[in-house]
């Protein structure tokens, strides 16, 4: 284990990638701590301390989790990676609905680039909306209802506009950082950044629990380790569909004749459905925080405030569960295309024993995938539910740091990243071995 | 007949028969049984794999948590030092 790490740092190529990723993480955290111009840092810190210690702590839990603690600090990267994720979900959903986007997607590389461009525009739009909302909240002092100190240095229009512009710019920088990690670093940029956000709030929450009750702390840690193991177990489970390749002569050489398999994971979708579902459910909270404090909130906002703000409300839980199952199927269907896989196999002379190449193969793959995704989606839903249910049963209302979502994100990204490092390491070492 | 075993020609008859089969929806009970049948064919990780992967993930997460916490602490101190006195 330790030798693997030293070896990883000894290979220059991999070392550069790792250091690059770490550098991006440092930059990301710097932006999450750096206050936006116009913010009274001392007052914000004080209010933050009061809010975290007070009863309102669990209301802020979700907000904190999804911004890596940056939002309440009113920092440059206050919005975190959420706008980018939300807009990529919206575009992926729209691809199914709008024929023009579907045509673009089928176009291949240039079309995908176009869709990415739209995603970025939408991100900026969302960022402007969200930052305006939060700056407005901060200005009127509703961000911390119990704290009566002015959060801004002054309340004129210029300051507010500056803050909105800075936060929006911060969001686009985050977007760029994420893409840089995907290009030149280790792992998927978006996942790495959301991983950083999730683990950034961990120490303070754990510390909170430890201060309240050391016994609970031990139990929480045990449950956490158990859940990590459970997630690893399911993530590693594969259904191996056997594929036999026909032998063929090309010139004087013999090719193929090997038998391999197509690995279909039980949870082929990974952690994306959970991220999608929770960021979608984050929208009502946003709406409530925007309009909920006005004198006369509309019936819709009131209903949302009653049912969707607290994570342990039945309506919220059911919606969350259904959304996860929906997104799992949705994401599997857009990432794994059985027809394409079957076509490729046919082209290279491969077949699944007992099933004809071409259409029947595609149908068979689809059959297996749909059957596997059912337990996969249930697993995702259940893991995300477990902590909430446990909280309700135990009657403990404090924020559970091992929320299913954060566990899934942590383990999913952790596994992916470690595997990617390992495969690159192997590549390197085999190369050195052969020379 | 020999031609029909390969390529498009073989696909076409199965297409028409496939459509008639597809019209019937799978009943929930059958779907459940099919799920169980597929799950039996799944290769689950062995105890050894599970332990090693879990430790690797744990170590990775702990290292990252430590790192990010350290960075955060330093940066927060720095920000307070710069902006706190104002």
């Amino acid at each position: 284990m330790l030798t693997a790490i030293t070896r990883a740092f000894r290979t220059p190529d991999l070392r550069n990638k790792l250091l690059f990723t770490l550098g991006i993480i440092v930059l990301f955290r710097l932006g999450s701590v750096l206050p936006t111009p116009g913010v009274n840092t001392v007052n914000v810190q004080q209010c933050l301390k009061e809010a975290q210690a007070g009863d309102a702590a669990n209301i802020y839990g979700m907000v904190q989790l999804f911004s890596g603690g940056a939002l309440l600090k009113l920092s440059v990267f206050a919005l975190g990676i959420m706008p980018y994720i939300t807009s990529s979900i919206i575009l992926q959903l729209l691809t199914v609905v709008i024929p023009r986007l579907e045509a673009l997607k089928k176009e291949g590389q240039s079309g995908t680039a176009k869709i990415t461009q739209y995603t970025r525009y939408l991100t900026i739009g969302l960022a402007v909306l969200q930052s305006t909302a939060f700056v407005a909240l901060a200005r009127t002092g509703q961000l911390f209802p119990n704290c009566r100190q002015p959060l801004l240095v002054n309340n004129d229009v210029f300051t507010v506009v500056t803050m909105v512009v800075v936060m929006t710019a911060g969001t686009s920088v985050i977007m760029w950082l994420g893409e840089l990690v995907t290009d030149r670093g280790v792992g998927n940029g978006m996942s790495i950044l959301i991983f950083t956000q999730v683990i950034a709030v961990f120490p303070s929450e754990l510390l909170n629990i430890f201060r309240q009750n050391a016994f609970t702390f031990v139990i929480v840690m045990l449950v956490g380790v158990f859940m990590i193991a459970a997630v690893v177990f399911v993530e590693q489970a594969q259904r191996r569909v056997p594929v036999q390749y026909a032998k063929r002569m090309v010139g004087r050489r013999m090719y193929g004749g090997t038998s391999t398999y197509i690995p279909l994971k039980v949870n082929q979708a990974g952690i994306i459905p959970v991220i999608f579902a929770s960021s979608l459910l984050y929208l009502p909270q946003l709406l409530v925080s925007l309009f909920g404090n006005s004198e006369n909130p509309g019936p819709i906002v009131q209903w949302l405030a009653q049912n969707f703000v607290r994570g342990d409300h039945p309506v919220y839980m059911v919606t969350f569960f259904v959304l996860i199952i929906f997104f799992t199927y949705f994401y599997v269907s857009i990432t794994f295309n059985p027809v394409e896989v079957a076509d490729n196999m046919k082209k290279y002379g491969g077949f699944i024993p007992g099933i004809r190449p071409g259409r029947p193969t595609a149908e068979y793959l689809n059959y297996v995938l749909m059957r596997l995704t059912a337990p996969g989606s249930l697993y995702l839903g259940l893991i995300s539910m477990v902590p909430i249910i446990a909280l309700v049963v135990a009657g403990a209302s404090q924020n559970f740091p091992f929320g299913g979502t954060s566990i899934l994100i942590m383990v999913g990204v952790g596994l992916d990243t470690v595997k990617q490092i390992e495969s690159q390491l192997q590549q390197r070492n085999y190369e050195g071995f052969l020379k | 007949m020999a031609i029909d075993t390969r390529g498009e020609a073989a696909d076409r008859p199965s297409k028409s028969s496939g459509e008639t089969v597809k019209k019937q929806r799978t009943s929930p009970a059958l779907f459940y049984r099919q799920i169980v049948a597929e799950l039996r064919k799944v290769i689950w990780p062995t105890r050894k794999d599970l332990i090693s992967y879990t430790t690797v993930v744990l170590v990775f997460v702990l290292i990252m948590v430590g790192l990010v916490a350290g960075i955060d602490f330093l940066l927060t101190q720095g920000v307070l030092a710069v902006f706190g006195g104002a």
Side-chain angles (χ1 to χ4, degrees):
Chain A
M1 179 76 212
L2 225 75
T3 53
I5 294 173
T6 50
R7 254 194 302 157
F9 273 95
R10 222 173 272 156
T11 41
D13 188 33
L14 196 54
R15 180 179 58 216
N16 285 343
K17 281 184 173 173
L18 285 174
L19 288 179
F20 184 80
T21 313
L22 286 180
I24 293 282
I25 289 178
V26 173
L27 272 182
F28 182 56
R29 290 317 299 168
L30 174 66
S32 308
V33 174
L34 198 67
T36 316
V39 167
N40 189 330
T41 317
V42 182
N43 286 356
V44 168
Q45 291 283 349
Q46 209 172 349
C47 286
L48 199 59
K49 240 174 232 163
E50 282 175 26
Q52 275 169 348
D55 298 329
N58 47 7
I59 300 174
Y60 292 121
M62 207 67 175
V63 178
Q64 286 282 61
L65 186 67
F66 279 125
S67 67
L71 187 59
L72 295 182
K73 281 182 194 149
L74 289 170
S75 61
V76 178
F77 287 175
L79 302 178
I81 189 126
M82 241 30 196
Y84 189 37
I85 292 177
T86 317
S87 80
S88 44
I89 303 166
I90 293 175
L91 264 145
Q92 276 180 350
L93 282 172
L94 285 184
T95 316
V96 185
V97 184
I98 299 179
R100 191 180 129 63
L101 285 177
E102 204 184 336
L104 271 179
K105 198 185 159 200
K106 284 200 176 127
E107 220 171 75
Q109 188 129 37
S110 62
T112 319
K114 199 83 188 162
I115 291 181
T116 314
Q117 206 179 352
Y118 290 150
T119 313
R120 291 185 193 138
Y121 289 145
L122 188 64
T123 310
I124 299 295
L126 285 176
V128 170
L129 263 176
Q130 288 194 19
S131 56
T132 315
F134 280 109
V135 172
L137 279 184
R139 184 165 168 244
T140 48
Q142 284 164 350
L143 194 58
F144 301 101
N146 300 328
C147 191
R148 284 276 142 243
Q149 272 153 329
L151 298 177
L152 306 191
V153 176
N154 59 33
N155 282 339
D156 61 8
V157 181
F158 181 72
T159 317
V160 170
V161 170
T162 312
M163 286 179 70
V164 169
V165 168
V166 167
M167 282 185 188
T168 311
T171 309
S172 44
V173 171
I174 293 176
M175 202 153 66
W176 183 57
L177 291 181
E179 282 168 13
L180 275 181
V181 170
T182 314
D183 272 1
R184 296 171 53 191
V186 187
N188 174 314
M190 202 152 79
S191 316
I192 293 276
L193 290 187
I194 198 168
F195 175 79
T196 316
Q197 283 186 357
V198 167
I199 59 173
V201 282
F202 247 61
S204 64
E205 288 195 350
L206 281 183
L207 209 66
N208 257 349
I209 292 186
F210 185 68
R211 278 202 195 116
Q212 279 166 0
N213 192 342
F215 180 68
T216 328
F217 179 74
V218 174
I219 288 189
V220 163
M221 291 308 270
L222 284 179
V223 170
V225 171
F226 176 75
M227 279 181 65
I228 288 177
V231 173
V232 169
F233 185 73
V234 181
E235 293 292 329
Q236 287 299 107
Q238 280 178 348
R239 161 82 162 92
R240 296 178 175 171
V241 179
V243 178
Q244 181 77 36
Y245 278 93
K247 274 191 186 149
R248 52 193 193 132
M249 297 284 278
V250 177
R252 294 178 54 197
R253 282 191 160 174
M254 184 86 98
Y255 286 101
T258 49
S259 68
T260 56
Y261 56 85
I262 303 175
L264 293 177
K265 285 163 74 181
V266 172
N267 173 28
Q268 182 77 13
I271 48 165
I272 303 288
V274 181
I275 297 180
F276 277 15
S278 46
S279 60
L280 215 62
L281 275 182
Y282 176 67
L283 290 180
Q285 278 180 338
L286 203 71
L287 274 179
V288 170
S289 63
L290 259 181
F291 303 111
N293 289 329
S294 64
E295 295 294 308
N296 188 16
I300 300 172
V301 174
Q302 266 175 349
W303 184 77
L304 284 178
Q306 268 167 10
N307 295 320
F308 281 99
V309 169
R310 286 189 58 94
D312 51 3
H313 194 280
V315 176
Y316 179 92
M317 291 202 280
V318 170
T319 320
F320 194 36
F321 197 76
V322 172
L323 271 179
I324 286 177
I325 290 177
F326 167 73
F327 275 125
T328 314
Y329 270 98
F330 177 74
Y331 202 68
V332 166
S333 72
I334 61 172
T335 48
F336 189 91
N337 186 353
V339 177
E340 212 178 289
V341 175
D343 274 354
N344 274 335
M345 268 163 51
K346 198 163 90 177
K347 244 182 239 164
Y348 294 102
F351 60 92
I352 300 170
I355 289 152
R356 284 192 190 177
R359 212 183 121 99
T361 303
E363 270 167 14
Y364 179 70
L365 284 176
N366 194 42
Y367 169 91
V368 174
L369 204 59
M370 288 301 121
R371 298 319 179 263
L372 276 183
T373 306
S377 60
L378 282 180
Y379 138 82
L380 277 182
L382 280 180
I383 289 274
S384 318
M385 287 289 111
V386 161
I388 305 177
I389 295 169
L391 277 188
V392 173
V393 170
S397 63
Q398 86 259 63
N399 207 355
F400 191 64
F402 288 110
T405 320
S406 32
I407 290 244
L408 281 168
I409 291 174
M410 264 170 29
V411 178
V413 177
L415 263 180
D416 274 0
T417 315
V418 171
K419 272 186 184 166
Q420 208 177 345
I421 295 174
E422 198 186 76
S423 73
Q424 293 205 356
L425 202 63
Q426 269 180 355
Q427 223 176 353
R428 259 339 257 207
N429 280 355
Y430 282 157
E431 203 182 30
F433 199 67
L434 284 173
K435 273 176 190 168
Chain B
M1 275 312 277
I3 305 160
D4 282 2
T5 52
R6 237 185 249 184
E8 288 296 307
D11 293 343
R12 241 169 264 137
S14 75
K15 220 178 254 175
S16 54
S17 66
E19 265 164 9
T20 49
V21 173
K22 226 180 190 176
K23 284 278 149 42
Q24 301 174 323
R25 301 196 64 167
T26 323
S27 74
L30 180 63
F31 190 67
Y32 173 74
R33 262 180 287 140
Q34 286 169 339
I35 288 172
V36 173
E38 284 303 325
L39 279 182
R40 278 185 203 286
K41 295 179 193 160
V42 167
I43 297 176
W44 301 97
T46 60
R47 173 179 286 266
K48 196 174 138 253
D49 281 352
L50 184 64
I51 291 173
S52 74
Y53 273 113
T54 309
T55 24
V56 166
V57 168
L58 264 179
V59 169
F60 177 78
V61 168
L62 284 181
I63 290 177
M64 291 307 287
V65 167
L67 210 70
V68 171
I71 294 170
D72 269 11
F73 178 75
L74 288 180
L75 288 177
T76 314
Q77 294 298 316
V79 164
L80 272 185
V82 175
F83 298 99

